[in-house]
Each structure stands twice: as C-alpha cells, then as structure tokens.
Amino acid sequence: MTEIINERKDRDPRARWYVVHTYSGHENKVKTTMELMVKNQGMEDLVQEIEVPTEELVETKDGVEKVKETKLYPSYVLVKMIMTDESWYLVRNTRGVTGFLGPASNPIPLTKEEEKALGVKEVRRIDYDYHVGDSVKIIDGPFENFLGEIESINKDKEEVTVFISMFNRETKLDLGFDQVEKVQ
C-alpha cells in the first residue's frame, strides 16, 4: 500500500485529511487540476496535499510478470487542507469533483485511525520538552485556552494526560503533543 508521508515542518497543524468523491476514472485528472488551481490562486497554505492512494500489483499472464499500479479507492481523492470557505469552494468546484465525504455543508475530516487505515502516514517531528507536573495551555480542540497540569506522558502515542479544572472538578484529558504548549 502506498504511504503518504509529510516531513515538512512548515505545515499548519490545523490541516486535516478529507475524502473527496470524484467521477469514476477522473481521480488523477482531479488531482492535477486541483494542484494547478491551488498554485494559481496562491492557496498552498490552505490546500497542502492532494493524493490518489495506489498500490502495485504483480500480475502473471502467460508466464510473464507485470507490475500494475491500481487505485486503492476508485472515485476518491484524499485532500489535506485547512477547511475554510475559500478552500471548500476551490475543492468543491474542481472539475470532476462530485462532493466531500460527509454532509454536504459540513465535510468530516478523517480520524487518526481512518488515516492509518487509508494509508496516510504522518511523519511529524514534534519537539517537546514536557515533564510530569508541568503547567500547560491547551491550544487546540474543544478545551482550547484551558490551563492544566501534565499527569503522564506517552511518547509512543505522542500524547500527554492533562488534568484541567472544569465545573469545580478535575477532569482528565488525553491530548496530542501538538495540542498543548508549556506555560512559563
């Protein structure tokens, strides 16, 4: 299975992967057209990556092996983007695109588990200097701007467990390294 790897440090962490439905057989043309539109409109910061996941299959016919590249998900293109009105409009109005996966007015980004299942592999270089007991501010998600204290750190999952005070109770949250920042 093809892996989509992003090693660039300058990418915005708000960008998420979305699934775009296309006319059958138009996946590569949609990708090329969309890349050109993004470049022409200077929207590289909003629409960061466009991929058509493929895999190589070895077929044997009359004793001759042939390597054939096939689409893993016919009629679908993966787009990593920051969802704004402008980026939504650009993708939605690309020739050959029939829509986003999810409700028409509210496309739903892939979860981390879905990204892995679809072959999307993020290689991020997150520099962290967190320790148990550090005070942190949540910078992403529904608890944005809450302050908390690190209870534990899971380096393999790149997560911290943080306790925040909400409604006069301590609430435990598991957050990604990129969702918190140290408070000095």
Side-chain angles (χ1 to χ4, degrees):
M1 184 177 343
T2 300
E3 291 181 345
I4 303 160
I5 300 177
N6 173 20
E7 294 187 36
R8 293 190 53 185
K9 291 183 179 181
D10 62 339
R11 295 294 190 185
D12 193 314
R14 296 175 298 160
R16 302 287 305 271
W17 286 99
Y18 293 86
V19 179
V20 177
H21 190 263
T22 67
Y23 292 122
S24 181
H26 288 104
E27 302 87 356
N28 291 328
K29 189 171 186 172
V30 164
K31 177 182 187 231
T32 303
T33 302
M34 198 179 301
E35 287 172 340
L36 185 60
M37 290 172 60
V38 166
K39 185 177 179 186
N40 287 342
Q41 295 184 25
M43 295 178 65
E44 294 92 345
D45 57 329
L46 293 177
V47 181
Q48 298 177 355
E49 294 181 57
I50 305 160
E51 297 294 336
V52 178
T54 60
E55 68 180 341
E56 290 183 349
L57 296 176
V58 178
E59 292 181 346
T60 305
K61 187 173 184 181
D62 298 327
V64 178
E65 286 188 355
K66 272 180 122 173
V67 177
K68 182 179 178 183
E69 189 173 68
T70 61
K71 293 176 185 80
L72 286 173
Y73 309 104
S75 300
Y76 293 100
V77 174
L78 301 178
V79 180
K80 185 174 185 180
M81 61 190 276
I82 299 170
M83 185 60 72
T84 65
D85 290 343
E86 296 82 17
S87 62
W88 179 91
Y89 186 83
L90 180 135
V91 172
R92 187 65 183 89
N93 289 289
T94 299
R95 183 175 300 212
V97 170
T98 61
F100 281 94
L101 206 59
S105 60
N106 187 22
I108 300 172
L110 296 175
T111 65
K112 296 294 179 197
E113 293 77 24
E114 290 169 332
E115 288 177 12
K116 288 178 186 173
L118 290 175
V120 176
K121 180 181 178 184
E122 289 285 338
V123 178
R124 293 176 287 146
R125 309 268 190 268
I126 297 178
D127 295 326
Y128 70 92
D129 185 25
Y130 303 128
H131 298 89
V132 172
D134 283 350
S135 293
V136 292
K137 178 180 177 183
I138 300 172
I139 58 171
D140 183 40
F143 300 100
E144 189 172 351
N145 295 322
F146 274 74
L147 297 176
E149 185 176 307
I150 295 179
E151 171 70 18
S152 65
I153 300 169
N154 184 331
K155 292 178 185 176
D156 294 334
K157 288 186 175 182
E158 295 183 349
E159 288 182 344
V160 291
T161 300
V162 176
F163 277 103
I164 63 169
S165 180
M166 187 167 54
F167 305 121
N168 295 324
R169 287 182 44 187
E170 291 291 309
T171 302
K172 181 173 96 169
L173 302 173
D174 291 323
L175 301 165
F177 287 166
D178 57 348
Q179 291 182 285
V180 297
E181 67 181 19
K182 238 178 165 177
V183 176
Q184 305 318 7

